[in-house]
Amino acid sequence: MMNMEKYLLFHFVVLLHMISMAQNSGLSGVNLTQNSNRLQGKLTGEVFYLSLTSNTSHFLQPDWIEGTITLKDGDVFEGIRMRYMAFGDELVAYNSNIHKLFIVDKNTVQQFTFKTSLKSGNFAERKFINLDSLEIFTDGTYFEELYSGKVKLLAFYQIGETKVSPYIDSTGKICDTEFLLKTIYYVMSGSKDLTRVQLKNRSLFILYPENKKEIRKLLRKNKIDIIDESSAVRAFDLLDVNGFLK
Amino acid sequence: MGFGIFNTNAQNVDVQQNPVLFTDRDYCISGDTVWFKVWLQTSEKNSGNVVRVQLDGKNNKLISGVAVKSFEGWAAGFIAVPDSLSTGQYFLTAFLNAQRNKSELELVSKSLLVYNRFAENIAEMEIYQPDEILQKTDDQIMILNTNKEKYLPGEKVEINIELNKEIDCKWFVVKATLIDPLAHEIRGNFKFKVESLNSFIPDFHENNGLLLSGKVTDLNGNIPSNALVTLSAGEIQPFFDYYFLGENGDFHFFLKDAIGNADVVLQVVSNDKNSYFIQLDNNYLRRKDLINTQQKVLKQDQIEFINTAIKANFAHRLFNPSTSVRPEIFEMPSRFLMPFYGQPSQHVVPEEFIDLPDFREISRELLPGFQYRIKNDEITFRMINSRQKIFFEEEPLRLINGIPVFKNDLFAGLKSTDINYIDLVLNERIYGDLIFNGVLEVSLIDKSNLWLTQQPNVFQFNVSFLQPNRKPGNFIQKNLNETQPDMRQVYFWELLKVESLQNIGFYLSDRKGKIEISIEGFTGKNEFFHTSKMIEVK
């Protein structure tokens, strides 16, 4: 029995030593395999830990979706499970090899895209661009590109925490804040000027006052009344084709 | 070479599939530089835009190999023929890495006769004489005229080209060179079946970068299991990558936009205490079959030409001592506007503070969130996780000049005056499938990395990456001093568009003999053509 205890103790110590050596390297990669190798490059970021609150309130999408990330150097990563965290304006991706979520380094990302299913059963591709990649050098912001032509129609999704009357949340906790999604629309001109707009016909009249009459006539003729993103995209497309956008 | 004769139909098949190699000469003296151009017929996007050109001997021994990036379908570069290379016949071959694992790969090679510059009276040589040499016929795409047929040394040759306007020609390689009677006799292109020397090198499409491959073994030649290799390169903004070893102990790295020569540091990281060796693989192809050479007795005019060429080379070196192309400085732009380990939470420049005598003092005074501990004579580092406001249980990734360090006592003696800057990343980082529990990067003022000798399983190699864009300058008659000899053998070597084909001219050197002016290229339908004319210098 004593010999067995000594035998077990010896191997336990050896095992501890091996684990500690792996830790001392500073490189931790529990499940490294040949799949960990990618010659063109690797995605980098900060490890992200999901909480109940962040999972339910911080993201634009309700669930993880598969999409494509394009980096500023042209490297493309397909089949990445991701969600856009509108609370904080970050892209969170899932590394399935090591089962970790991480915030993709924003200053490496040019754009990301994913498909969403429509009521008709078809899929629509949604494209988010990093403003840095349009050579508008802020500290980096993700905008959804709703329309791209001579001008771009962009949407910025922002989830903010606001004070409300106290209530009991789904976990039974008393809360006095809520997370609310706000969408702000912008038009980016060819000279990279950003102008905030609302999804209304009137916004186009303000943007292009010199062609106000013609634009109004064109929209009426084509029965387009801007009330949402879909009608806004159709309106911009129509104006682009007819040479009104600049 | 380049004025070998081709069967146009055979060449069209090759043109569709393989890079087409043009060289400025088919003979040289050891120590010379051979310039080449390569036409990539296949779509660059499909197969990569980096061409590899190798020089090898008849026994498949690799003499030299370079990689050049193409632009608009054309790549250009040079191979320095070693000064000590012995007299013999060698072969130049161009290929794409994407081709390497094709089961039946045939490539066209160009013969290069090398005469060792210390040789005297070369009277015979081993020459490869296959049953069939690819021969080409003069096409009627253009007519070459010169102002004379016979010239004196140093005179100017003016070329007039009459182009068949029905043919749509895009690019022309125009060459004027002194003929070596021996090289001219055996002229032609040689088709060989080739295979990858190292089957573990993947047929990766090299676009704007270079694949670097190698193998890891222990002292007994065994392959380690569950080990990875890290690569560090570059000084200003270090590059880092890792590769989890394949079942054959092989590793591969792709360095995008890496140009010139650089010292790269490769390390084997594993959980055992074994010593390992790293060997870099030469990325080249070898002929599947041995070639049969025959001893050829040279004719008198061939012997005399070779003797004259060696003497001319000596004279040229005497008056032009610095004509060799020097190794290039390394350039590799960083992929992004931040280090590979992430945006630092703290960037500390010790020079801005009072001088501190060792790293323990530096960490105590200048690095909040970083702990330097000594316990039982062992130094350990701990870093705070800024998100979770607790210390990481494991040690951070430690770097010196961007190179991972696994022995903490290498930091102990570093003082303020040794250090350029210190970066701390106080969060948990992901790099591919690697996780860093914080990062400590110490950039030293001294980039020689002598401290590497104290780390096990670390190796430094000088690697040649993409060859920088250089143009040969020695063809131009720049020495107009009549007391110094002009010993050039190549007078003109340019890739020209059709609008530049007017008024081509060049000055002859002091050397006498026959000169061939040739124009080769591709039509708009990507059909190869060749036209040449001989003149004489007496």
Side-chain angles (χ1 to χ4, degrees):
Chain A
M1 191 64 172
M2 282 291 286
N3 284 339
M4 178 60 79
E5 282 173 356
K6 280 182 190 171
Y7 174 86
L8 286 173
L9 183 65
F10 172 76
H11 281 86
F12 180 64
V13 168
V14 166
L15 182 64
L16 271 181
H17 181 62
M18 284 177 69
I19 293 171
S20 69
M21 278 186 68
Q23 289 174 350
N24 281 348
S25 71
L27 302 174
S28 183
V30 179
N31 294 323
L32 283 180
T33 63
Q34 285 286 294
N35 290 335
S36 304
N37 298 327
R38 187 177 181 277
L39 292 176
Q40 299 91 324
K42 319 279 196 297
L43 274 178
T44 62
E46 185 188 332
V47 174
F48 176 77
Y49 293 97
L50 198 63
S51 67
L52 189 62
T53 306
S54 60
N55 188 40
T56 53
S57 306
H58 290 181
F59 292 96
L60 187 65
Q61 303 92 347
D63 207 347
W64 299 93
I65 34 139
E66 207 167 272
T68 299
I69 300 173
T70 303
L71 301 187
K72 286 179 182 174
D73 67 350
D75 203 358
V76 178
F77 293 79
E78 293 177 340
I80 305 290
R81 298 189 73 77
M82 60 172 81
R83 282 168 94 180
Y84 173 58
M85 192 164 66
F87 183 79
D89 185 32
E90 297 284 5
L91 174 65
V92 180
Y94 177 63
N95 183 322
S96 54
N97 286 344
I98 57 174
H99 311 293
K100 285 276 188 185
L101 292 172
F102 65 103
I103 296 171
V104 184
D105 285 325
K106 191 184 285 182
N107 51 14
T108 67
V109 177
Q110 182 188 56
Q111 65 181 52
F112 61 91
T113 58
F114 54 89
K115 288 196 167 76
T116 50
S117 54
L118 301 171
K119 287 176 190 169
S120 58
N122 293 330
F123 288 91
E125 183 173 271
R126 295 181 73 175
K127 176 179 169 186
F128 286 70
I129 50 178
N130 187 344
L131 211 58
D132 280 357
S133 66
L134 298 178
E135 296 178 2
I136 300 174
F137 297 106
T138 63
D139 54 0
T141 311
Y142 291 119
F143 281 79
E144 182 174 6
E145 190 179 86
L146 299 175
Y147 174 79
S148 180
K150 285 201 182 63
V151 304
K152 289 185 193 295
L153 177 62
L154 306 172
F156 178 61
Y157 302 100
Q158 195 175 44
I159 289 177
E161 196 172 12
T162 52
K163 278 274 189 199
V164 294
S165 307
Y167 67 97
I168 297 173
D169 70 8
S170 56
T171 63
K173 202 167 67 170
I174 297 174
C175 298
D176 64 351
T177 58
E178 257 185 357
F179 293 93
L180 295 173
L181 172 66
K182 189 167 69 169
T183 308
I184 308 167
Y185 298 96
Y186 294 87
V187 168
M188 192 180 85
S189 68
S191 53
K192 298 192 170 54
D193 294 321
L194 274 179
T195 309
R196 187 168 171 171
V197 295
Q198 291 184 323
L199 295 187
K200 293 179 182 178
N201 288 12
R202 197 165 148 268
S203 289
L204 289 174
F205 307 148
I206 295 169
L207 269 176
Y208 308 106
E210 66 279 8
N211 295 316
K212 181 176 168 181
K213 277 188 188 169
E214 293 88 347
I215 292 173
R216 180 183 272 131
K217 190 176 171 184
L218 191 63
L219 291 175
R220 194 182 299 139
K221 187 180 171 186
N222 288 274
K223 294 177 185 169
I224 294 176
D225 187 23
I226 301 176
I227 53 168
D228 55 20
E229 288 175 7
S230 168
S231 52
V233 168
R234 280 187 287 124
F236 272 84
D237 188 42
L238 180 68
L239 295 184
D240 211 348
V241 163
N242 285 277
F244 286 109
L245 299 184
K246 48 182 182 282
Chain B
M1 201 160 178
F3 60 90
I5 307 171
F6 276 96
N7 177 302
T8 310
N9 288 335
Q11 183 63 3
N12 277 346
V13 172
D14 291 339
V15 164
Q16 294 297 326
Q17 298 169 355
N18 298 327
V20 180
L21 180 66
F22 301 85
T23 52
D24 72 331
R25 64 196 72 193
D26 55 357
Y27 75 95
C28 70
I29 309 301
S30 61
D32 274 352
T33 300
V34 177
W35 295 83
F36 61 81
K37 297 185 197 300
V38 183
W39 166 239
L40 290 185
Q41 170 57 28
T42 54
S43 164
E44 291 172 7
K45 289 179 188 171
N46 291 338
S47 307
N49 64 359
V50 170
V51 183
R52 289 178 178 264
V53 177
Q54 65 183 51
L55 174 69
D56 59 72
K58 64 180 192 299
N59 51 0
N60 266 328
K61 187 183 171 192
L62 178 70
I63 307 300
S64 182
V66 298
V68 290
K69 183 175 153 183
S70 65
F71 179 70
E72 291 183 359
W74 285 92
F78 60 89
I79 283 192
V81 177
D83 212 33
S84 58
L85 195 61
S86 27
T87 298
Q89 184 184 32
Y90 299 84
F91 298 94
L92 283 156
T93 312
F95 65 97
L96 300 168
N97 189 66
Q99 295 179 291
R100 66 181 313 105
N101 288 332
K102 280 187 182 173
S103 54
E104 293 292 326
L105 180 61
E106 275 187 331
L107 294 176
V108 172
S109 298
K110 289 202 177 292
S111 165
L112 179 72
L113 298 181
V114 177
Y115 308 120
N116 184 281
R117 65 189 187 94
F118 297 111
E120 291 176 358
N121 290 325
I122 299 170
E124 47 186 33
M125 274 177 74
E126 275 196 49
I127 298 291
Y128 170 56
Q129 291 184 333
D131 298 331
E132 186 187 344
I133 295 180
L134 293 176
Q135 300 285 325
K136 64 185 175 191
T137 53
D138 253 2
D139 297 309
Q140 298 305 311
I141 288 187
M142 62 181 67
I143 298 170
L144 268 177
N145 292 315
T146 50
N147 50 336
K148 289 195 286 189
E149 300 298 320
K150 291 184 174 31
Y151 293 81
L152 292 171
E155 273 199 302
K156 186 174 181 184
V157 178
E158 288 168 3
I159 304 171
N160 176 257
I161 299 168
E162 291 174 29
L163 201 59
N164 181 344
K165 288 183 182 159
E166 290 178 7
I167 307 295
D168 170 32
C169 297
K170 288 193 285 192
W171 293 100
F172 305 85
V173 177
V174 182
K175 181 168 75 174
T177 179
L178 190 66
I179 290 177
D180 169 11
L182 175 60
H184 192 70
E185 182 184 321
I186 63 162
R187 73 189 182 281
N189 290 339
F190 305 91
K191 206 177 211 181
F192 297 116
K193 287 182 185 170
V194 295
E195 62 184 1
S196 173
L197 177 69
N198 189 331
S199 58
F200 305 134
I201 298 179
D203 51 358
F204 182 75
H205 293 189
E206 289 176 314
N207 267 312
N208 303 314
L210 201 78
L211 189 69
L212 182 67
S213 300
K215 262 203 208 131
V216 178
T217 53
D218 67 11
L219 283 168
N220 301 317
N222 298 321
I223 293 162
S225 58
N226 293 326
L228 61 87
V229 172
T230 65
L231 179 148
S232 307
E235 290 180 2
I236 298 170
Q237 192 144 11
F239 171 83
F240 170 86
D241 203 0
Y242 70 85
Y243 194 91
F244 187 75
L245 291 179
E247 56 185 22
N248 299 300
D250 54 297
F251 62 84
H252 313 279
F253 293 100
F254 179 67
L255 286 91
K256 193 174 171 188
D257 297 322
I259 297 174
N261 287 0
D263 288 331
V264 303
V265 175
L266 293 163
Q267 294 193 75
V268 183
V269 181
S270 70
N271 287 341
D272 55 47
K273 272 191 172 179
N274 293 341
S275 294
Y276 293 105
F277 292 110
I278 288 182
Q279 182 191 334
L280 288 185
D281 288 325
N282 282 319
N283 187 334
Y284 79 108
L285 303 179
R286 66 179 173 192
R287 285 177 289 279
K288 272 186 176 175
D289 306 312
L290 287 174
I291 57 174
N292 297 318
T293 58
Q294 291 173 20
Q295 200 69 8
K296 181 177 175 60
V297 176
L298 306 187
K299 297 172 195 162
Q300 192 54 38
D301 63 331
Q302 293 168 339
I303 296 171
E304 282 172 10
F305 180 87
I306 294 168
N307 285 340
T308 307
I310 292 172
K311 287 175 188 166
N313 180 268
F314 173 78
H316 179 77
R317 281 168 176 258
L318 206 57
F319 290 95
N320 300 278
S322 304
T323 54
S324 59
V325 183
R326 295 189 180 84
E328 302 293 343
I329 297 169
F330 183 63
E331 286 175 22
M332 184 174 172
S334 55
R335 292 181 73 193
F336 309 109
L337 295 175
M338 69 169 195
F340 70 85
Y341 45 81
Q343 206 65 39
S345 313
Q346 292 172 32
H347 178 82
V348 176
V349 181
E351 191 191 33
E352 295 173 357
F353 302 90
I354 190 170
D355 281 354
L356 295 165
D358 56 43
F359 201 71
R360 191 178 190 181
E361 289 298 309
I362 290 171
S363 61
R364 192 178 286 165
E365 300 292 328
L366 304 181
L367 307 180
F370 180 82
Q371 274 188 0
Y372 182 115
R373 294 180 190 160
I374 301 178
K375 191 176 176 183
N376 300 329
D377 290 331
E378 197 182 318
I379 302 171
T380 54
F381 298 150
R382 284 291 183 272
M383 213 175 251
I384 199 163
N385 183 332
S386 60
R387 289 263 182 204
Q388 298 180 1
K389 313 296 182 204
I390 54 172
F391 279 93
F392 285 108
E393 284 183 15
E394 294 83 22
E395 292 201 85
L397 172 68
R398 291 138 285 160
L399 305 163
I400 295 179
N401 292 338
I403 300 167
V405 174
F406 306 119
K407 291 173 75 174
N408 292 343
D409 50 12
L410 286 170
F411 291 87
L414 293 177
K415 47 192 184 303
S416 292
T417 49
D418 296 326
I419 298 172
N420 189 6
Y421 65 83
I422 301 170
D423 276 345
L424 290 183
V425 180
L426 298 174
N427 50 56
E428 200 176 354
R429 295 279 309 166
I430 273 192
Y431 184 94
D433 286 359
L434 288 182
I435 300 171
F436 306 150
N437 297 301
V439 179
L440 165 72
E441 150 75 337
V442 177
S443 172
L444 300 179
I445 293 166
D446 176 14
K447 301 292 184 193
S448 64
N449 293 325
L450 291 172
W451 55 269
L452 283 174
T453 54
Q454 299 178 50
Q455 284 234 114
N457 291 332
V458 63
F459 304 86
Q460 185 163 286
F461 297 92
N462 187 266
V463 176
S464 294
F465 292 98
L466 294 178
Q467 196 175 70
N469 190 17
R470 289 286 180 268
K471 283 187 178 177
N474 53 334
F475 302 153
I476 301 165
Q477 186 205 21
K478 56 184 177 184
N479 177 19
L480 297 175
N481 186 339
E482 288 183 357
T483 62
Q484 289 185 11
D486 178 0
M487 294 286 115
R488 291 172 295 129
Q489 71 186 67
V490 179
Y491 309 106
F492 197 90
W493 167 244
E494 293 276 355
L495 176 66
L496 300 173
K497 286 190 175 178
V498 62
E499 47 270 18
S500 305
L501 282 184
Q502 307 304 319
N503 302 319
I504 295 176
F506 58 88
Y507 283 94
L508 296 166
S509 65
D510 294 335
R511 294 176 71 175
K512 296 173 186 174
K514 288 186 181 161
I515 288 161
E516 182 171 24
I517 303 164
S518 69
I519 299 183
E520 296 177 301
F522 293 88
T523 67
K525 294 178 187 172
N526 289 317
E527 290 165 335
F528 181 82
F529 68 85
H530 161 89
T531 301
S532 65
K533 180 186 167 71
M534 299 283 200
I535 59 174
E536 201 169 351
V537 182
K538 284 194 165 176

